[in-house]
Amino acid sequence: AQTVTQSQPEMSVQEAETVTLSCTYDTSESDYYLFWYKQPPSRQMILVIRQEAYKQQNATENRFSVNFQKAAKSFSLKISDSQLGDAAMYFCASHGEYGNKLVFGAGTILRVKS
Amino acid sequence: KAGVTQTPRYLIKTRGQQVTLSCSPISGHRSVSWYQQTPGQGLQFLFEYFSETQRNKGNFPGRFSGRQFSNSRSEMNVSTLELGDSALYLCASSLGTGEKDTQYFGPGTRLTVL
């Protein structure tokens, strides 16, 4: 079965510094997307970044970038110049074995200290 | 474009009752997926609808059902509510043109079963 693992239940970062959140996944699919979603206290799930598995180039969205290691099935999120508004729960997700179903990791709580 | 909307945002029911949750996707999106989020089980896929047909289903009992209308709006129904059904129910929409694509989430409906 498809699994997504986030091994860091909680992380802390000082404002303006860089933090990396880890994610590993297991899939037998050849064509899939990987995602990082952010869920602030409002509980609204917000798409942070998307990586297409067939693309070797790592995705970047402003201060957010990923390190995608396909062979190792690793998909980490790097947040540069951390801001107070980045504090949230971050979920890594991958498409499941069939169709559009997303499989999520357990989440990492990110705390940003001023 | 307006985002995904869900109604109601909060709901309190008692055991044995039934409940209907509604989701309006982003304009032009034809796929709607539903997820249940609980502290113990995390985020779990319920089902996906595309063109008024259930395209994919998660591992939930038959008390959980859904449907999609011709305007792509979707409803989710839970019958004979149990205490364990208390959760945040998230709806996500996507274009649906590919078998796997990017999902955008609504704000969720918080269901409390007493």
Side-chain angles (χ1 to χ4, degrees):
Chain A
Q2 183 87 7
T3 57
V4 176
T5 303
Q6 293 179 250
S7 58
Q8 307 152 316
E10 191 170 326
M11 293 282 284
S12 289
V13 63
Q14 199 69 33
E15 201 175 1
E17 293 189 345
T18 296
V19 65
T20 298
L21 308 184
S22 301
C23 173
T24 58
Y25 63 96
D26 187 17
T27 180
S28 57
E29 297 289 291
S30 57
D31 178 25
Y32 55 93
Y33 293 155
L34 295 161
F35 305 91
W36 279 97
Y37 286 93
K38 166 186 174 180
Q39 189 177 44
S42 68
R43 309 310 297 273
Q44 170 87 50
M45 194 79 82
I46 301 163
L47 177 67
V48 174
I49 199 164
R50 178 184 88 166
Q51 175 76 43
E52 295 166 54
Y54 64 87
K55 288 188 176 179
Q56 292 186 339
Q57 186 172 7
N58 289 326
T60 300
E61 287 287 342
N62 301 312
R63 297 182 295 107
F64 299 88
S65 62
V66 300
N67 183 4
F68 175 47
Q69 302 289 328
K70 190 171 183 178
K73 294 183 178 175
S74 169
F75 181 60
S76 61
L77 174 70
K78 185 171 86 171
I79 306 174
S80 305
D81 185 26
S82 295
Q83 300 174 1
L84 294 176
D86 294 334
M89 176 79 93
Y90 285 80
F91 291 97
C92 176
S94 172
H95 278 119
E97 291 167 338
Y98 305 107
N100 213 16
K101 165 188 172 181
L102 286 178
V103 177
F104 286 86
T108 297
I109 298 171
L110 177 66
R111 303 192 193 281
V112 181
K113 295 182 274 190
S114 58
Chain B
K1 276 187 183 176
V4 179
T5 58
Q6 291 187 246
T7 56
R9 293 293 310 278
Y10 302 91
L11 210 47
I12 300 175
K13 293 286 188 179
T14 55
R15 278 183 300 175
Q17 287 186 311
Q18 74 165 15
V19 67
T20 299
L21 312 182
S22 180
C23 172
S24 292
I26 293 170
S27 177
H29 284 194
R30 297 171 61 196
S31 169
V32 173
S33 298
W34 289 89
Y35 296 83
Q36 181 196 64
Q37 185 177 22
T38 59
Q41 299 298 318
L43 281 147
Q44 293 186 289
F45 172 78
L46 281 154
F47 29 64
E48 180 200 8
Y49 284 86
F50 175 75
S51 289
E52 301 178 64
T53 302
Q54 189 179 86
R55 187 157 71 170
N56 204 352
K57 187 177 185 302
N59 189 26
F60 277 82
R63 299 185 298 107
F64 292 83
S65 63
R67 60 177 175 168
Q68 187 180 34
F69 301 94
S70 58
N71 61 357
S72 295
R73 188 178 70 85
S74 176
E75 288 182 347
M76 189 191 94
N77 184 272
V78 188
S79 62
T80 319
L81 284 165
E82 299 178 0
L83 295 178
D85 297 332
S86 293
L88 180 69
Y89 289 89
L90 292 164
C91 160
S93 78
S94 61
L95 284 169
T97 50
E99 192 179 287
K100 300 175 195 279
D101 53 12
T102 301
Q103 295 179 35
Y104 298 89
F105 285 81
T109 294
R110 166 73 66 187
L111 172 64
T112 302
V113 182
L114 302 175

